[in-house]
mmCIF file of all heavy atoms in Angstrom:
data_model
loop_
_atom_site.group_PDB
_atom_site.id
_atom_site.type_symbol
_atom_site.label_atom_id
_atom_site.label_comp_id
_atom_site.label_asym_id
_atom_site.label_seq_id
_atom_site.Cartn_x
_atom_site.Cartn_y
_atom_site.Cartn_z
ATOM 1 N N SER A 173 -84.650 -171.296 -54.851
ATOM 2 C CA SER A 173 -85.764 -170.483 -55.323
ATOM 3 C C SER A 173 -87.021 -170.833 -54.531
ATOM 4 O O SER A 173 -87.437 -171.994 -54.490
ATOM 5 C CB SER A 173 -86.003 -170.719 -56.819
ATOM 6 O OG SER A 173 -87.071 -169.909 -57.272
ATOM 7 N N HIS A 174 -87.616 -169.819 -53.909
ATOM 8 C CA HIS A 174 -88.799 -170.019 -53.076
ATOM 9 C C HIS A 174 -90.060 -170.101 -53.937
ATOM 10 O O HIS A 174 -90.051 -169.827 -55.144
ATOM 11 C CB HIS A 174 -88.934 -168.866 -52.072
ATOM 12 C CG HIS A 174 -89.170 -167.526 -52.707
ATOM 13 N ND1 HIS A 174 -90.406 -167.095 -53.132
ATOM 14 C CD2 HIS A 174 -88.311 -166.503 -53.000
ATOM 15 C CE1 HIS A 174 -90.314 -165.883 -53.646
ATOM 16 N NE2 HIS A 174 -89.048 -165.496 -53.582
ATOM 17 N N GLY A 175 -91.170 -170.452 -53.305
ATOM 18 C CA GLY A 175 -92.431 -170.620 -54.012
ATOM 19 C C GLY A 175 -93.359 -169.431 -53.883
ATOM 20 O O GLY A 175 -92.950 -168.314 -53.537
ATOM 21 N N TRP A 176 -94.637 -169.684 -54.138
ATOM 22 C CA TRP A 176 -95.653 -168.643 -54.165
ATOM 23 C C TRP A 176 -95.958 -168.152 -52.755
ATOM 24 O O TRP A 176 -95.805 -168.863 -51.758
ATOM 25 C CB TRP A 176 -96.914 -169.232 -54.792
ATOM 26 C CG TRP A 176 -97.998 -168.246 -55.079
ATOM 27 C CD1 TRP A 176 -97.882 -166.897 -55.250
ATOM 28 C CD2 TRP A 176 -99.388 -168.545 -55.227
ATOM 29 N NE1 TRP A 176 -99.113 -166.336 -55.512
ATOM 30 C CE2 TRP A 176 -100.058 -167.329 -55.506
ATOM 31 C CE3 TRP A 176 -100.137 -169.722 -55.159
ATOM 32 C CZ2 TRP A 176 -101.437 -167.255 -55.703
ATOM 33 C CZ3 TRP A 176 -101.498 -169.652 -55.364
ATOM 34 C CH2 TRP A 176 -102.136 -168.421 -55.637
ATOM 35 N N ASN A 177 -96.435 -166.902 -52.679
ATOM 36 C CA ASN A 177 -96.890 -166.298 -51.420
ATOM 37 C C ASN A 177 -95.786 -166.135 -50.383
ATOM 38 O O ASN A 177 -96.002 -166.349 -49.191
ATOM 39 C CB ASN A 177 -98.049 -167.101 -50.808
ATOM 40 C CG ASN A 177 -99.378 -166.749 -51.435
ATOM 41 O OD1 ASN A 177 -99.496 -165.749 -52.133
ATOM 42 N ND2 ASN A 177 -100.375 -167.577 -51.199
ATOM 43 N N ASN A 178 -94.611 -165.761 -50.839
ATOM 44 C CA ASN A 178 -93.509 -165.452 -49.924
ATOM 45 C C ASN A 178 -93.082 -164.004 -50.109
ATOM 46 O O ASN A 178 -92.700 -163.604 -51.220
ATOM 47 C CB ASN A 178 -92.303 -166.361 -50.180
ATOM 48 C CG ASN A 178 -92.452 -167.725 -49.557
ATOM 49 O OD1 ASN A 178 -92.124 -167.930 -48.389
ATOM 50 N ND2 ASN A 178 -92.963 -168.670 -50.335
ATOM 51 N N ASP A 179 -93.148 -163.219 -49.031
ATOM 52 C CA ASP A 179 -92.550 -161.890 -49.089
ATOM 53 C C ASP A 179 -91.072 -162.035 -48.728
ATOM 54 O O ASP A 179 -90.555 -163.144 -48.571
ATOM 55 C CB ASP A 179 -93.282 -160.922 -48.152
ATOM 56 C CG ASP A 179 -93.286 -161.387 -46.705
ATOM 57 O OD1 ASP A 179 -92.551 -162.352 -46.358
ATOM 58 O OD2 ASP A 179 -94.021 -160.792 -45.895
ATOM 59 N N TRP A 180 -90.378 -160.891 -48.604
ATOM 60 C CA TRP A 180 -88.933 -160.947 -48.334
ATOM 61 C C TRP A 180 -88.648 -161.704 -47.042
ATOM 62 O O TRP A 180 -87.772 -162.575 -46.987
ATOM 63 C CB TRP A 180 -88.375 -159.528 -48.260
ATOM 64 C CG TRP A 180 -86.897 -159.457 -48.020
ATOM 65 C CD1 TRP A 180 -86.252 -159.428 -46.832
ATOM 66 C CD2 TRP A 180 -85.871 -159.438 -49.025
ATOM 67 N NE1 TRP A 180 -84.894 -159.368 -47.012
ATOM 68 C CE2 TRP A 180 -84.627 -159.380 -48.350
ATOM 69 C CE3 TRP A 180 -85.885 -159.445 -50.416
ATOM 70 C CZ2 TRP A 180 -83.420 -159.331 -49.036
ATOM 71 C CZ3 TRP A 180 -84.669 -159.404 -51.092
ATOM 72 C CH2 TRP A 180 -83.461 -159.351 -50.407
ATOM 73 N N SER A 181 -89.406 -161.414 -46.009
ATOM 74 C CA SER A 181 -89.194 -162.080 -44.727
ATOM 75 C C SER A 181 -89.462 -163.571 -44.831
ATOM 76 O O SER A 181 -88.715 -164.393 -44.305
ATOM 77 C CB SER A 181 -90.113 -161.448 -43.664
ATOM 78 O OG SER A 181 -90.010 -162.133 -42.440
ATOM 79 N N GLY A 182 -90.548 -163.935 -45.526
ATOM 80 C CA GLY A 182 -90.883 -165.350 -45.659
ATOM 81 C C GLY A 182 -89.849 -166.115 -46.454
ATOM 82 O O GLY A 182 -89.496 -167.246 -46.111
ATOM 83 N N ALA A 183 -89.351 -165.504 -47.529
ATOM 84 C CA ALA A 183 -88.361 -166.171 -48.367
ATOM 85 C C ALA A 183 -87.048 -166.363 -47.613
ATOM 86 O O ALA A 183 -86.457 -167.448 -47.626
ATOM 87 C CB ALA A 183 -88.123 -165.370 -49.646
ATOM 88 N N THR A 184 -86.573 -165.304 -46.955
ATOM 89 C CA THR A 184 -85.312 -165.426 -46.228
ATOM 90 C C THR A 184 -85.442 -166.402 -45.066
ATOM 91 O O THR A 184 -84.497 -167.138 -44.753
ATOM 92 C CB THR A 184 -84.846 -164.061 -45.711
ATOM 93 O OG1 THR A 184 -85.879 -163.458 -44.924
ATOM 94 C CG2 THR A 184 -84.508 -163.143 -46.873
ATOM 95 N N SER A 185 -86.614 -166.442 -44.448
ATOM 96 C CA SER A 185 -86.836 -167.394 -43.358
ATOM 97 C C SER A 185 -86.798 -168.831 -43.875
ATOM 98 O O SER A 185 -86.225 -169.722 -43.234
ATOM 99 C CB SER A 185 -88.181 -167.103 -42.688
ATOM 100 O OG SER A 185 -88.453 -168.059 -41.675
ATOM 101 N N LEU A 186 -87.413 -169.063 -45.034
ATOM 102 C CA LEU A 186 -87.381 -170.397 -45.629
ATOM 103 C C LEU A 186 -85.953 -170.820 -45.917
ATOM 104 O O LEU A 186 -85.532 -171.943 -45.591
ATOM 105 C CB LEU A 186 -88.201 -170.401 -46.924
ATOM 106 C CG LEU A 186 -88.112 -171.675 -47.766
ATOM 107 C CD1 LEU A 186 -88.768 -172.846 -47.050
ATOM 108 C CD2 LEU A 186 -88.748 -171.465 -49.142
ATOM 109 N N TYR A 187 -85.175 -169.927 -46.526
ATOM 110 C CA TYR A 187 -83.777 -170.257 -46.827
ATOM 111 C C TYR A 187 -82.991 -170.497 -45.538
ATOM 112 O O TYR A 187 -82.164 -171.418 -45.457
ATOM 113 C CB TYR A 187 -83.130 -169.122 -47.635
ATOM 114 C CG TYR A 187 -83.749 -168.899 -48.994
ATOM 115 C CD1 TYR A 187 -83.730 -167.640 -49.579
ATOM 116 C CD2 TYR A 187 -84.350 -169.942 -49.699
ATOM 117 C CE1 TYR A 187 -84.284 -167.423 -50.833
ATOM 118 C CE2 TYR A 187 -84.904 -169.735 -50.943
ATOM 119 C CZ TYR A 187 -84.876 -168.464 -51.508
ATOM 120 O OH TYR A 187 -85.423 -168.246 -52.747
ATOM 121 N N ARG A 188 -83.237 -169.670 -44.532
ATOM 122 C CA ARG A 188 -82.527 -169.810 -43.263
ATOM 123 C C ARG A 188 -82.778 -171.189 -42.642
ATOM 124 O O ARG A 188 -81.842 -171.873 -42.204
ATOM 125 C CB ARG A 188 -82.961 -168.708 -42.299
ATOM 126 C CG ARG A 188 -82.232 -168.733 -40.946
ATOM 127 C CD ARG A 188 -82.856 -167.730 -39.990
ATOM 128 N NE ARG A 188 -82.760 -166.377 -40.508
ATOM 129 C CZ ARG A 188 -81.758 -165.545 -40.237
ATOM 130 N NH1 ARG A 188 -80.777 -165.925 -39.449
ATOM 131 N NH2 ARG A 188 -81.746 -164.325 -40.736
ATOM 132 N N ARG A 189 -84.045 -171.594 -42.616
ATOM 133 C CA ARG A 189 -84.385 -172.887 -42.004
ATOM 134 C C ARG A 189 -83.779 -174.043 -42.782
ATOM 135 O O ARG A 189 -83.249 -174.988 -42.196
ATOM 136 C CB ARG A 189 -85.913 -173.054 -41.922
ATOM 137 C CG ARG A 189 -86.604 -172.064 -40.991
ATOM 138 C CD ARG A 189 -88.038 -172.487 -40.706
ATOM 139 N NE ARG A 189 -88.815 -172.755 -41.900
ATOM 140 C CZ ARG A 189 -89.496 -171.836 -42.577
ATOM 141 N NH1 ARG A 189 -89.459 -170.559 -42.185
ATOM 142 N NH2 ARG A 189 -90.210 -172.173 -43.633
ATOM 143 N N PHE A 190 -83.854 -173.959 -44.104
ATOM 144 C CA PHE A 190 -83.333 -175.061 -44.906
ATOM 145 C C PHE A 190 -81.815 -175.164 -44.778
ATOM 146 O O PHE A 190 -81.268 -176.265 -44.613
ATOM 147 C CB PHE A 190 -83.724 -174.892 -46.376
ATOM 148 C CG PHE A 190 -83.374 -176.097 -47.216
ATOM 149 C CD1 PHE A 190 -84.258 -177.157 -47.326
ATOM 150 C CD2 PHE A 190 -82.150 -176.183 -47.861
ATOM 151 C CE1 PHE A 190 -83.938 -178.278 -48.077
ATOM 152 C CE2 PHE A 190 -81.809 -177.300 -48.614
ATOM 153 C CZ PHE A 190 -82.709 -178.355 -48.726
ATOM 154 N N VAL A 191 -81.132 -174.036 -44.855
ATOM 155 C CA VAL A 191 -79.672 -174.044 -44.728
ATOM 156 C C VAL A 191 -79.265 -174.551 -43.358
ATOM 157 O O VAL A 191 -78.302 -175.326 -43.212
ATOM 158 C CB VAL A 191 -79.101 -172.642 -45.001
ATOM 159 C CG1 VAL A 191 -77.636 -172.559 -44.601
ATOM 160 C CG2 VAL A 191 -79.275 -172.279 -46.471
ATOM 161 N N ASP A 192 -79.980 -174.141 -42.322
ATOM 162 C CA ASP A 192 -79.684 -174.603 -40.969
ATOM 163 C C ASP A 192 -79.792 -176.121 -40.886
ATOM 164 O O ASP A 192 -78.920 -176.800 -40.314
ATOM 165 C CB ASP A 192 -80.646 -173.948 -39.975
ATOM 166 C CG ASP A 192 -80.216 -174.167 -38.541
ATOM 167 O OD1 ASP A 192 -79.268 -173.502 -38.091
ATOM 168 O OD2 ASP A 192 -80.834 -175.026 -37.876
ATOM 169 N N GLU A 193 -80.858 -176.675 -41.464
ATOM 170 C CA GLU A 193 -81.033 -178.133 -41.467
ATOM 171 C C GLU A 193 -79.915 -178.812 -42.257
ATOM 172 O O GLU A 193 -79.373 -179.843 -41.837
ATOM 173 C CB GLU A 193 -82.390 -178.506 -42.065
ATOM 174 C CG GLU A 193 -83.599 -178.050 -41.262
ATOM 175 C CD GLU A 193 -83.817 -178.872 -40.002
ATOM 176 O OE1 GLU A 193 -83.020 -179.788 -39.718
ATOM 177 O OE2 GLU A 193 -84.802 -178.590 -39.286
ATOM 178 N N PHE A 194 -79.549 -178.211 -43.392
ATOM 179 C CA PHE A 194 -78.521 -178.820 -44.233
ATOM 180 C C PHE A 194 -77.163 -178.851 -43.527
ATOM 181 O O PHE A 194 -76.451 -179.864 -43.542
ATOM 182 C CB PHE A 194 -78.405 -178.059 -45.555
ATOM 183 C CG PHE A 194 -77.320 -178.577 -46.450
ATOM 184 C CD1 PHE A 194 -77.472 -179.782 -47.123
ATOM 185 C CD2 PHE A 194 -76.138 -177.875 -46.626
ATOM 186 C CE1 PHE A 194 -76.470 -180.275 -47.947
ATOM 187 C CE2 PHE A 194 -75.134 -178.350 -47.447
ATOM 188 C CZ PHE A 194 -75.302 -179.562 -48.112
ATOM 189 N N LEU A 195 -76.795 -177.738 -42.890
ATOM 190 C CA LEU A 195 -75.499 -177.701 -42.213
ATOM 191 C C LEU A 195 -75.465 -178.635 -41.013
ATOM 192 O O LEU A 195 -74.416 -179.205 -40.698
ATOM 193 C CB LEU A 195 -75.185 -176.270 -41.787
ATOM 194 C CG LEU A 195 -74.955 -175.279 -42.934
ATOM 195 C CD1 LEU A 195 -74.633 -173.899 -42.391
ATOM 196 C CD2 LEU A 195 -73.852 -175.750 -43.870
ATOM 197 N N THR A 196 -76.597 -178.805 -40.365
ATOM 198 C CA THR A 196 -76.653 -179.751 -39.249
ATOM 199 C C THR A 196 -76.437 -181.176 -39.738
ATOM 200 O O THR A 196 -75.679 -181.956 -39.138
ATOM 201 C CB THR A 196 -78.010 -179.644 -38.524
ATOM 202 O OG1 THR A 196 -78.158 -178.320 -38.001
ATOM 203 C CG2 THR A 196 -78.104 -180.650 -37.395
ATOM 204 N N VAL A 197 -77.081 -181.536 -40.822
ATOM 205 C CA VAL A 197 -76.921 -182.877 -41.393
ATOM 206 C C VAL A 197 -75.506 -183.065 -41.929
ATOM 207 O O VAL A 197 -74.884 -184.117 -41.751
ATOM 208 C CB VAL A 197 -77.970 -183.104 -42.514
ATOM 209 C CG1 VAL A 197 -77.663 -184.372 -43.298
ATOM 210 C CG2 VAL A 197 -79.370 -183.171 -41.934
ATOM 211 N N ARG A 198 -74.977 -182.025 -42.573
ATOM 212 C CA ARG A 198 -73.613 -182.124 -43.103
ATOM 213 C C ARG A 198 -72.597 -182.322 -41.987
ATOM 214 O O ARG A 198 -71.650 -183.106 -42.107
ATOM 215 C CB ARG A 198 -73.272 -180.849 -43.892
ATOM 216 C CG ARG A 198 -72.254 -181.092 -44.994
ATOM 217 C CD ARG A 198 -71.376 -179.889 -45.223
ATOM 218 N NE ARG A 198 -70.163 -179.992 -44.410
ATOM 219 C CZ ARG A 198 -69.230 -179.049 -44.350
ATOM 220 N NH1 ARG A 198 -69.385 -177.921 -45.008
ATOM 221 N NH2 ARG A 198 -68.159 -179.201 -43.605
ATOM 222 N N LYS A 199 -72.786 -181.627 -40.874
ATOM 223 C CA LYS A 199 -71.868 -181.753 -39.738
ATOM 224 C C LYS A 199 -71.819 -183.183 -39.233
ATOM 225 O O LYS A 199 -70.746 -183.707 -38.877
ATOM 226 C CB LYS A 199 -72.295 -180.824 -38.613
ATOM 227 C CG LYS A 199 -71.450 -180.948 -37.351
ATOM 228 C CD LYS A 199 -72.017 -180.106 -36.215
ATOM 229 C CE LYS A 199 -71.231 -180.314 -34.930
ATOM 230 N NZ LYS A 199 -71.811 -179.534 -33.805
ATOM 231 N N GLU A 200 -72.972 -183.849 -39.221
ATOM 232 C CA GLU A 200 -73.021 -185.206 -38.671
ATOM 233 C C GLU A 200 -72.549 -186.262 -39.655
ATOM 234 O O GLU A 200 -71.885 -187.228 -39.264
ATOM 235 C CB GLU A 200 -74.448 -185.522 -38.228
ATOM 236 C CG GLU A 200 -74.578 -186.894 -37.560
ATOM 237 C CD GLU A 200 -75.916 -187.100 -36.899
ATOM 238 O OE1 GLU A 200 -76.747 -186.163 -36.919
ATOM 239 O OE2 GLU A 200 -76.142 -188.200 -36.342
ATOM 240 N N TYR A 201 -72.879 -186.091 -40.950
ATOM 241 C CA TYR A 201 -72.634 -187.178 -41.900
ATOM 242 C C TYR A 201 -71.566 -186.880 -42.953
ATOM 243 O O TYR A 201 -71.164 -187.787 -43.686
ATOM 244 C CB TYR A 201 -73.950 -187.541 -42.611
ATOM 245 C CG TYR A 201 -74.987 -188.052 -41.650
ATOM 246 C CD1 TYR A 201 -76.070 -187.249 -41.273
ATOM 247 C CD2 TYR A 201 -74.888 -189.321 -41.091
ATOM 248 C CE1 TYR A 201 -77.020 -187.715 -40.380
ATOM 249 C CE2 TYR A 201 -75.829 -189.796 -40.197
ATOM 250 C CZ TYR A 201 -76.897 -188.980 -39.844
ATOM 251 O OH TYR A 201 -77.844 -189.437 -38.954
ATOM 252 N N TRP A 202 -71.103 -185.643 -43.033
ATOM 253 C CA TRP A 202 -70.039 -185.298 -43.992
ATOM 254 C C TRP A 202 -69.183 -184.195 -43.395
ATOM 255 O O TRP A 202 -68.988 -183.139 -43.994
ATOM 256 C CB TRP A 202 -70.670 -184.849 -45.312
ATOM 257 C CG TRP A 202 -69.806 -185.015 -46.528
ATOM 258 C CD1 TRP A 202 -69.022 -186.067 -46.875
ATOM 259 C CD2 TRP A 202 -69.686 -184.050 -47.601
ATOM 260 N NE1 TRP A 202 -68.410 -185.847 -48.089
ATOM 261 C CE2 TRP A 202 -68.805 -184.621 -48.559
ATOM 262 C CE3 TRP A 202 -70.232 -182.793 -47.847
ATOM 263 C CZ2 TRP A 202 -68.459 -183.962 -49.746
ATOM 264 C CZ3 TRP A 202 -69.887 -182.132 -49.031
ATOM 265 C CH2 TRP A 202 -69.016 -182.705 -49.957
ATOM 266 N N PRO A 203 -68.671 -184.410 -42.173
ATOM 267 C CA PRO A 203 -67.948 -183.337 -41.479
ATOM 268 C C PRO A 203 -66.635 -182.974 -42.156
ATOM 269 O O PRO A 203 -66.199 -181.824 -42.089
ATOM 270 C CB PRO A 203 -67.715 -183.920 -40.084
ATOM 271 C CG PRO A 203 -67.739 -185.403 -40.285
ATOM 272 C CD PRO A 203 -68.742 -185.639 -41.371
ATOM 273 N N GLU A 204 -66.010 -183.941 -42.784
ATOM 274 C CA GLU A 204 -64.755 -183.700 -43.489
ATOM 275 C C GLU A 204 -64.941 -184.165 -44.928
ATOM 276 O O GLU A 204 -64.751 -185.345 -45.230
ATOM 277 C CB GLU A 204 -63.597 -184.436 -42.817
ATOM 278 C CG GLU A 204 -63.323 -183.959 -41.397
ATOM 279 C CD GLU A 204 -62.146 -184.671 -40.766
ATOM 280 O OE1 GLU A 204 -61.486 -185.464 -41.480
ATOM 281 O OE2 GLU A 204 -61.878 -184.420 -39.582
ATOM 282 N N PRO A 205 -65.338 -183.271 -45.817
ATOM 283 C CA PRO A 205 -65.576 -183.654 -47.211
ATOM 284 C C PRO A 205 -64.404 -184.387 -47.822
ATOM 285 O O PRO A 205 -63.238 -184.068 -47.557
ATOM 286 C CB PRO A 205 -65.830 -182.311 -47.905
ATOM 287 C CG PRO A 205 -66.361 -181.434 -46.809
ATOM 288 C CD PRO A 205 -65.604 -181.844 -45.577
ATOM 289 N N ASP A 206 -64.721 -185.368 -48.649
ATOM 290 C CA ASP A 206 -63.681 -186.181 -49.276
ATOM 291 C C ASP A 206 -63.258 -185.617 -50.638
ATOM 292 O O ASP A 206 -62.648 -186.322 -51.447
ATOM 293 C CB ASP A 206 -64.163 -187.626 -49.432
ATOM 294 C CG ASP A 206 -65.504 -187.723 -50.134
ATOM 295 O OD1 ASP A 206 -66.022 -186.675 -50.576
ATOM 296 O OD2 ASP A 206 -66.049 -188.846 -50.230
#
């Protein structure tokens, strides 16, 4: 859930950046879930 002052583009961009960071970290530290 995004915060204040986000239009559709801003909200989707926020989610895109966060998910990108999360998948990058997951690839390095949890590549094969246990």
Side-chain angles (χ1 to χ4, degrees):
S173 181
H174 64 82
W176 188 22
N177 278 346
N178 280 274
D179 58 11
W180 181 271
S181 176
T184 55
S185 177
L186 172 68
Y187 296 151
R188 182 188 299 268
R189 295 193 308 272
F190 188 87
V191 168
D192 191 76
E193 295 286 1
F194 177 73
L195 294 181
T196 299
V197 169
R198 208 212 92 183
K199 176 186 176 182
E200 183 169 358
Y201 297 105
W202 205 43
E204 297 182 5
D206 52 4

